[in-house]
Amino acid sequence: MSPDATKTGLFQGGPMRAIARNLGWMLASRGVLAVLSLVYLAIVTRTLGVNGFGRFALITGASQALATVVGFQTWQIIVRYGTQHLGAADRDPGQKDSDALRLARLFKACGLLDLASAVVGVILAAIIIRTWGEALGVRPVHARATMLFTLAQLLSIRSTPLGILRLRDRFSFAAAADSVTPVMRLVGAVGAAVFLPSVTGFLIAWGLAEVLTAAAYWAALARTGDLKLLFARGIGVRDVVVDHPGIVRFSLATNASSSLGLSSKQIPLLLVGGTVGTASAGAFRLALQLAQALTKVSQLLARAAFPEIVRAVAAGGLARVRQMIMRSFLMASVVAAFAFLIVVLFGHPVLTLMGGKEFGRAYPILLWLAAAGCVDLVTVGFEPLLLAANRIGATFIARLVGIVVLFGVSFWLSPSLGVIGIGVAVLANALIVAIMLGVATRALLTRSAGAA
């Protein structure tokens, strides 16, 4: 789809239609992931048992948390600042001061930022595994496989190609690349269960899935023609700050905010492992995996809406954005209520079917985590709007306060309630973040309505 066609679709067909189209492609991918994830998780839990799965969950959770902390959400940077350059008639970066040149600098800067953060992450991972590996559940026999998995997690760079695909409105390509993860995890889980039924075997399988997913993203980028733009010779990145005033502040703030937000999904698992033990961590992880399906839906809605909100805000269409936010709020509320009902009715049978009776005891935990996921889903439109309107500080403060509440409630309730206390803390975190983002969003929309 051409940039002009995208803009026409935005203002003639409406941003909600564009969001629905984008979301449709991502849901197609995530639908495959949701179905296959139930199968491969059942294979892992049945093969490793509650203790082995708990150890596997702690290792992968710690690795994902590290990748989240050091990684920049460069896809947001590309969408936020690349939109203004889509009017270029061609993709030749050789013309001085052309939109194509500025876009090439932006792509290259984001790619280098991804690479630098990956290198920092690898160094930190080596130090952490060597120093605190046992505390994180990494036995010496698993150390090499854990490091290999972490390397695969960190070096499988795909945020930059993801951002370019979303900027170009190629959500179908991104959906196809995303689908590689569940397919390869399923294949890897079967292979590990047959040939190497251990934590190490499944870590290798998960690492290969990460690498192949990243390869699929880069292959998709090659099909769009943007790979040549990204690796165009003779183009430095020094002027990217001049091209895009405020990009450094936006990059740092979105990194901090997203790190806090995404880490809040991994920290509870690590708290369970550190305070209660690996067996409880296994049950908690399986419940978290099911509950995170709701969180995934909210993330998909946010990612589908972000490019359209950026375009609408850039065009001065805050009145239209107000309607979008209200519609998304109402739609998400209905979906969240229906989803929670499904969890209440079918959560226990699914947990038992996937992991056995030992995992059935995670049902009360699942209810708290699912409630938190529903809160995230209802307020899904708030953060993309604040980011598009450069209200980055509000999102960071909300996430920071949410993390403080998460730790505070966890340490307050876990001595008496155990894992349930940490589940309550996850819901408290979601509520606090939702309230603060909602207040900031209302203030922004009220101010814009008054200015109009």
Side-chain angles (χ1 to χ4, degrees):
M1 179 178 294
S2 69
D4 291 339
T6 301
K7 293 177 181 178
T8 301
L10 173 63
F11 294 108
Q12 290 188 0
M16 293 301 293
R17 182 180 298 176
I19 291 172
R21 182 186 65 247
N22 297 343
L23 179 63
W25 282 113
M26 289 191 290
L27 282 178
S29 167
R30 292 297 177 176
V32 173
L33 187 152
V35 174
L36 295 185
S37 66
L38 295 178
V39 179
Y40 65 65
L41 278 176
I43 294 173
V44 179
T45 54
R46 294 280 182 172
T47 303
L48 297 180
V50 67
N51 280 297
F53 182 68
R55 195 171 301 280
F56 174 76
L58 287 173
I59 292 171
T60 55
S63 174
Q64 290 165 355
L66 176 64
T68 298
V69 169
V70 300
F72 282 79
Q73 297 295 304
T74 50
W75 75 268
Q76 291 182 337
I77 301 171
I78 290 173
V79 172
R80 170 67 179 80
Y81 290 98
T83 302
Q84 59 190 294
H85 304 309
L86 288 183
D90 64 305
R91 297 186 180 184
D92 180 13
Q95 300 178 12
K96 185 178 180 181
D97 296 328
S98 67
D99 280 333
L101 175 61
R102 294 188 179 94
L103 205 56
R105 278 200 288 255
L106 178 65
F107 290 172
K108 184 167 291 189
C110 288
L112 290 174
L113 188 59
D114 278 342
L115 181 60
S117 62
V119 172
V120 171
V122 168
I123 296 172
L124 288 177
I127 295 173
I128 291 171
I129 292 173
R130 185 178 181 85
T131 308
W132 298 290
E134 288 282 357
L136 293 173
V138 182
R139 294 176 176 176
V141 68
H142 301 140
R144 178 176 296 179
T146 300
M147 191 63 206
L148 288 174
F149 171 76
T150 306
L151 282 171
Q153 179 84 21
L154 291 167
L155 295 177
S156 298
I157 298 171
R158 55 180 179 263
S159 186
T160 291
L162 174 63
I164 297 173
L165 292 174
R166 287 177 177 165
L167 178 68
R168 298 291 190 189
D169 216 12
R170 298 299 185 97
F171 279 77
S172 59
F173 285 14
D178 250 348
S179 299
V180 173
T181 299
V183 172
M184 295 313 302
R185 281 185 179 179
L186 177 59
V187 173
V190 172
V194 174
F195 298 106
L196 190 59
S198 63
V199 171
T200 296
F202 287 106
L203 285 175
I204 294 172
W206 260 233
L208 286 174
E210 293 293 326
V211 172
L212 292 174
T213 301
Y217 267 105
W218 286 101
L221 192 63
R223 290 188 60 188
T224 69
D226 284 298
L227 201 59
K228 295 180 180 179
L229 193 62
L230 177 62
F231 291 104
R233 294 183 178 181
I235 296 178
V237 298
R238 185 175 301 175
D239 290 335
V240 74
V241 178
V242 179
D243 295 338
H244 311 97
I247 191 173
V248 174
R249 178 176 175 271
F250 181 87
S251 302
L252 294 174
T254 52
N255 169 256
S257 178
S258 63
S259 294
L260 290 172
L262 296 175
S263 294
S264 67
K265 311 304 178 187
Q266 303 296 338
I267 287 173
L269 174 63
L270 302 181
L271 288 175
V272 171
T275 59
V276 186
T278 56
S280 295
F284 185 90
R285 180 66 180 89
L286 185 57
L288 183 64
Q289 183 74 25
L290 296 179
Q292 279 186 339
L294 298 172
T295 305
K296 290 293 185 183
V297 173
S298 65
Q299 289 174 357
L300 294 181
L301 279 168
R303 291 171 180 177
F306 186 62
E308 303 305 323
I309 292 176
V310 168
R311 291 170 184 140
V313 170
L318 281 175
R320 181 172 294 186
V321 172
R322 183 187 184 94
Q323 295 177 356
M324 291 167 57
I325 297 301
M326 290 304 298
R327 289 179 183 177
S328 68
F329 180 81
L330 293 174
M331 178 180 67
S333 297
V334 174
V335 173
F338 181 69
F340 189 73
L341 179 61
I342 291 177
V343 172
V344 171
L345 295 176
F346 301 106
H348 188 273
V350 171
L351 284 171
T352 305
L353 177 65
M354 291 181 62
K357 293 182 179 180
E358 288 182 303
F359 287 89
R361 62 190 173 90
Y363 176 66
I365 307 168
L366 174 62
L367 295 180
W368 288 104
L369 298 178
C374 288
V375 172
D376 289 339
L377 180 56
V378 169
T379 58
V380 67
F382 296 167
E383 188 167 6
L385 174 60
L386 294 171
L387 291 176
N390 279 328
R391 300 297 192 273
I392 312 167
T395 64
F396 173 73
I397 293 173
R399 297 295 181 188
L400 181 61
V401 174
I403 287 290
V404 172
V405 170
L406 175 64
F407 276 104
V409 176
S410 294
F411 289 121
W412 174 39
L413 294 181
S414 60
S416 57
L417 299 179
V419 184
I420 296 292
I422 297 177
V424 175
V426 174
L427 177 58
N429 166 266
L431 287 171
I432 290 296
V433 172
I435 291 170
M436 295 186 69
L437 291 178
V439 169
T441 299
R442 182 180 180 184
L444 172 64
L445 294 176
T446 301
R447 192 179 303 116
S448 65

